[in-house]
Amino acid sequence: MTQPIQDSLGLTGDQLLELYRQLLTIRAFEERVKYESSLGNVLGPTHLYIGEEAIAVGVCAALRPDDYITSTHRGHGHALAKGCRPDRMMAELFGRETGYCRGKGGSQHIADFSAGMLGANGIVAGGIPIATGAGLAIQLKQSDQVVISFFGESASNRGPFHEGINLAAVWRLPVLFVCEFNHFGQYTYARQVMRVENVADRAAAYGIPGLVVDGNDVLAVYQAAREAIARLRAGDGPMLLECKTYRLEGHNIGDELYYRTPGEAEAWRLKDPIDRYSAWLKDREVLSEALEAVTQARVQAEIDSAVAFAQASPFPPVEAALQDVFSADYAVRLS
Amino acid sequence: MMATPMPAGVQMETRRITFRDAVREALQEEMQRDPTIFVIGECVELRSAWRTTRDLSVLFPGRVRDTPISESAIVGAAVGAAMLGMRPVAEIMVGDFVTTCMDELVNQAGKARYMFGGQIDLPLVVRIPTGLAKNAAAQHSQTLESWFMHAPGLLVAAPSTPYDCKGMLKAALRGRDPVLFFEYKMLYALQGDVPADDYTVPLGVADVKRAGRDVTVLCWGSVVHKALAAAVALEADGVSVEVLDLRSLVPLDTPAIQRSVERTHRAVVVEEACRPASAGADIAAWIAEHVFYSLDAPIKRLAAPPVPKPFSTPLEQAVVPQTDDIVRAVRELL
């Protein structure tokens, strides 16, 4: 692991506080999703990003608005960090017409192409070759945009990880592969299914650099991502950035966590990325108790308003079930 | 192989070219017209295994790219590039290899527009050389169109002539949806007349390859030529066979099926794929459901038995319907 970062990396106080606000927003969004799911308002299987927020925030802070990301089944944090709106996300989770996918995708398919969010993906490793293709499009357009592909360590055991990264490496595409090592593939520990400790070690197989950072340190993630992205924009080809973290919640809402080693989560809670960062900010007098309270209240108000928006939005009309299969050029065969 | 005529009514200056050159010409002309089109696949820079991309990498540097043997990455990358407004053409060298990229075809390409609420067009073409090739055996001979009729969101095309192939591929490259373009390998050497000028053939429109009164033979791809040969043989006996080339399976031109079967009152559905849950099964069911009262005889189906395609020539020829089988099936209906 890299050493904890001692300086502010040239970020202004406002920029440092913006990272803090984003971390809080993702946490508050996820806590509320859990609650709304228990009420039956959030529909379907839902995977929470609690404990892993520093990765999405740190990486996306190093992006430009015109860059792209691909995400996973655990994608709410990526979407928020890339600039998706909490209200339209919440509406999607509620299955409403005003959601990003008009209520046809749900948690595992949130996408906002106008924000460069190329989709959560319900297939583990599904986003990796797509990110490679986005990188290919950028290269063919001779643009200096970049693509981030977020995935978990379990994705690195699937074929598309190998194929997608190898192809990106061969063509030197501007894709940063970001592995969120959260220790679990559903109910299985990573150590049960991998002989290597670090997914980053696998980068050597593709002839690209692999780096491990503390995924619960938002500034460490930001610094590593910033350096990697500068590499990408210079045309030096892809890189694998592994962020060590821990999935504080279950695989999905409702997971009883029988399989988890006792005491383990408690130990990781002491390394909670938000607590660590707020302590760091306070230590440097960037964040005061008063500002902390104000920020928390603002974030909470935004989430309340997102829920109100979702609640007030209609369900999609049933005709929508038959729309968007093809472009308007073709109709779905109904008989 | 015999040559195919132009469709009746098409009056332009024409040239005689092969099916494989129809593919290459369509790609070349569309790449010239549209800089967002590019080609990826295994060995496509030199010529591709089927010699369908010859010279393109020289004409369009950087836009025709050899990939590793990585079908998931080929199709997945095509999906990602299409999301950013490019028009990828991905070649899967042999149709059986779609098994190695089913997630990217079915879960990603087929569902992206829908599950993202219609936010994007996904204009990509996956070219799939398919079907029997002499003695290619179990893992290089299948034709799997029916799998993709069952998976929502994918257009499925399977032309039978150079004219249709070039026109339909051009239409696919101008569309907004993912198209699986099945090219029957046994047709690559087939010659046919193709207009010198630009033209397209719309997807989802069937074509009467031979008009007839007594029986409709419904088919697509390489089987069309066996059906045409059967029609010639039956004509000597005074039996008039209509050969309806469906050309696309998604969309399926059900109005054309209805028109033809209502006129002939008899239907034979012929395909090279295995019989259970096949494209032909669906077409036969559609006829039974919608044109039943026009039928004078049960619908007849010819397909391969559900066995892997065998290697040795007599076995290989025995498992797929041949011209004689079509002749026999038609006679049984009269």
Side-chain angles (χ1 to χ4, degrees):
Chain A
M1 298 236 179
T2 52
Q3 292 301 305
I5 289 165
Q6 299 303 319
D7 66 55
S8 54
L9 305 169
L11 293 172
T12 64
D14 283 349
Q15 288 171 321
L16 292 168
L17 288 171
E18 171 59 14
L19 300 184
Y20 174 66
R21 189 195 64 80
Q22 289 186 22
L23 292 169
L24 286 187
T25 301
I26 296 171
R27 178 68 57 92
F29 185 90
E30 296 293 63
E31 296 285 8
R32 188 61 176 266
V33 165
K34 189 176 178 183
Y35 174 68
E36 297 294 334
S37 177
S38 74
L39 300 180
N41 290 331
V42 164
L43 308 176
T46 308
H47 312 87
L48 300 176
Y49 196 60
I50 290 173
E52 307 180 33
E53 297 91 340
I55 303 169
V57 171
V59 170
C60 290
L63 291 178
R64 298 194 316 229
D66 66 339
D67 292 324
Y68 299 95
I69 67 168
T70 66
S71 175
T72 69
H73 60 288
R74 198 176 304 286
H76 304 163
H78 308 139
L80 288 165
K82 190 63 179 71
C84 293
R85 293 167 45 149
D87 54 356
R88 294 201 60 203
M89 287 176 60
M90 194 66 81
E92 186 61 34
L93 302 187
F94 277 50
R96 305 303 169 106
E97 170 79 35
T98 54
Y100 272 114
C101 310
R102 300 176 62 202
K104 292 159 84 166
S107 172
Q108 299 191 76
H109 305 299
I110 287 177
D112 178 5
F113 289 83
S114 64
M117 164 47 171
L118 304 181
N121 209 305
I123 306 296
V124 171
I128 293 176
I130 292 174
T132 294
L136 175 57
I138 288 167
Q139 188 180 72
L140 288 165
K141 292 176 181 182
Q142 299 183 315
S143 161
D144 69 343
Q145 292 156 292
V146 301
V147 188
I148 306 296
S149 182
F150 290 105
F151 53 87
E153 81 280 357
S154 298
S156 76
N157 296 325
R158 285 207 66 234
F161 167 90
H162 170 69
E163 293 194 11
I165 297 182
N166 184 54
L167 186 61
V170 166
W171 288 342
R172 300 175 75 80
L173 301 178
V175 186
L176 177 59
F177 297 97
V178 176
C179 176
E180 303 175 319
F181 194 110
N182 73 6
H183 291 82
F184 297 100
Q186 190 141 340
Y187 315 140
T188 304
Y189 273 99
R191 60 175 180 264
Q192 293 173 258
V193 292
M194 296 173 68
R195 277 285 178 222
V196 289
E197 191 180 337
N198 301 319
V199 172
D201 295 345
R202 293 182 168 173
Y206 312 111
I208 64 170
L211 181 69
V212 180
V213 297
D214 179 353
N216 282 20
D217 180 341
V218 68
L219 291 180
V221 173
Y222 168 73
Q223 183 184 35
R226 192 170 71 175
E227 286 166 11
I229 289 165
R231 241 183 77 87
L232 299 184
R233 293 204 207 279
D236 291 340
M239 204 173 138
L240 177 52
L241 175 63
E242 177 177 7
C243 306
K244 298 288 192 188
T245 187
Y246 188 82
R247 195 187 74 201
L248 289 175
E249 295 287 320
H251 168 66
N252 55 350
I253 297 174
D255 174 358
E256 294 96 340
L257 291 163
Y258 294 138
Y259 51 89
R260 199 155 76 178
T261 305
E264 186 179 74
E266 289 67 25
W268 275 92
R269 278 185 209 286
L270 300 176
K271 297 186 270 186
D272 184 295
I274 300 179
D275 293 345
R276 278 173 70 184
Y277 188 51
S278 61
W280 185 87
L281 290 173
K282 284 176 186 164
D283 206 39
R284 277 156 188 74
E285 298 182 348
V286 178
L287 182 68
S288 62
E289 297 283 344
L291 187 54
E292 181 178 45
V294 168
T295 310
Q296 283 172 348
R298 280 190 186 145
V299 164
Q300 203 49 58
E302 187 181 25
I303 301 304
D304 289 346
S305 139
V307 169
F309 174 79
Q311 286 283 22
S313 297
F315 282 102
V318 288
E319 308 89 82
L322 303 179
Q323 296 165 352
D324 301 322
V325 178
F326 298 113
S327 69
D329 302 340
Y330 298 99
V332 171
R333 185 180 136 205
L334 299 176
S335 70
Chain B
M1 259 189 170
M2 67 176 166
T4 53
M6 295 270 290
V10 176
Q11 301 198 339
M12 293 184 200
E13 193 191 328
T14 64
R15 296 162 301 113
R16 177 150 293 205
I17 64 170
T18 60
F19 194 96
R20 65 162 49 90
D21 282 340
V23 172
R24 188 180 50 75
E25 286 190 5
L27 292 172
Q28 181 177 331
E29 290 172 19
E30 293 305 298
M31 289 180 81
Q32 196 72 50
R33 195 185 55 76
D34 182 347
T36 67
I37 297 174
F38 66 92
V39 176
I40 54 175
E42 294 153 12
C43 306
V44 294
E45 285 183 26
L46 182 65
R47 54 165 220 186
S48 98
W50 306 98
R51 284 178 280 139
T52 48
T53 57
R54 189 166 40 83
D55 299 335
L56 294 181
S57 65
V58 178
L59 290 169
F60 306 103
R63 289 169 62 193
V64 180
R65 295 197 182 195
D66 283 349
T67 62
I69 298 176
S70 298
E71 285 80 6
S72 285
I74 293 168
V75 179
V79 171
M83 284 177 172
L84 267 62
M86 302 296 285
R87 289 180 175 275
V89 179
E91 178 175 309
I92 301 301
M93 187 185 284
V94 176
D96 308 64
F97 306 165
V98 296
T99 52
T100 63
C101 51
M102 282 302 275
D103 175 59
E104 289 73 20
L105 291 167
V106 172
N107 283 320
Q108 313 298 344
K111 297 176 184 172
R113 178 193 293 276
Y114 188 86
M115 66 191 183
F116 299 142
Q119 289 184 52
I120 46 160
D121 288 337
L122 209 69
L124 68 93
V125 177
V126 183
R127 293 183 38 245
I128 305 175
T130 199
L132 289 190
K134 290 172 184 166
N135 313 103
Q139 295 172 340
H140 289 67
S141 298
Q142 289 174 103
T143 187
L144 299 167
E145 296 95 315
S146 66
W147 292 8
F148 303 102
M149 295 174 74
H150 195 73
L154 299 167
L155 301 177
V156 178
S160 69
T161 65
Y163 174 87
D164 289 345
C165 178
K166 183 173 177 182
M168 289 168 69
L169 186 50
K170 280 170 153 277
L173 288 165
R174 297 179 192 185
R176 298 187 283 166
D177 297 286
V179 180
L180 304 197
F181 200 83
F182 286 85
E183 298 165 9
Y184 274 80
K185 292 175 286 192
M186 290 302 285
L187 296 178
Y188 278 130
L190 175 74
Q191 295 200 325
D193 291 334
V194 166
D197 293 332
D198 183 44
Y199 72 102
T200 60
V201 173
L203 304 181
V205 180
D207 184 42
V208 177
K209 284 288 189 283
R210 180 189 172 103
R213 294 181 313 274
D214 300 327
V215 180
T216 300
V217 176
L218 300 100
C219 49
W220 62 95
S222 60
V223 175
V224 169
H225 302 281
K226 292 176 180 173
L228 288 169
V232 170
L234 286 157
E235 190 177 33
D237 299 345
V239 178
S240 172
V241 172
E242 176 144 309
V243 177
L244 183 62
D245 179 359
L246 296 167
R247 298 201 289 198
S248 297
L249 295 167
V250 181
L252 187 65
D253 190 351
T254 52
I257 295 171
Q258 180 149 8
R259 276 195 303 275
S260 179
V261 177
E262 281 181 349
R263 199 167 55 241
T264 63
H265 309 292
R266 292 176 181 83
V268 182
V269 186
V270 192
E271 63 195 316
E272 199 177 286
C274 297
R275 187 180 181 85
S278 70
D282 185 53
I283 293 161
W286 192 90
I287 295 168
E289 199 175 351
H290 298 275
V291 202
F292 182 79
Y293 292 106
S294 294
L295 291 172
D296 286 346
I299 302 160
K300 197 101 184 157
R301 289 184 57 206
L302 294 178
V307 300
K309 295 290 187 278
F311 168 68
S312 180
T313 307
L315 305 183
E316 180 185 58
Q317 296 306 303
V319 297
V320 297
Q322 303 295 346
T323 299
D324 287 351
D325 301 313
I326 301 172
V327 168
R328 201 173 309 117
V330 168
R331 285 208 175 107
E332 284 170 15
L333 288 188
L334 295 169

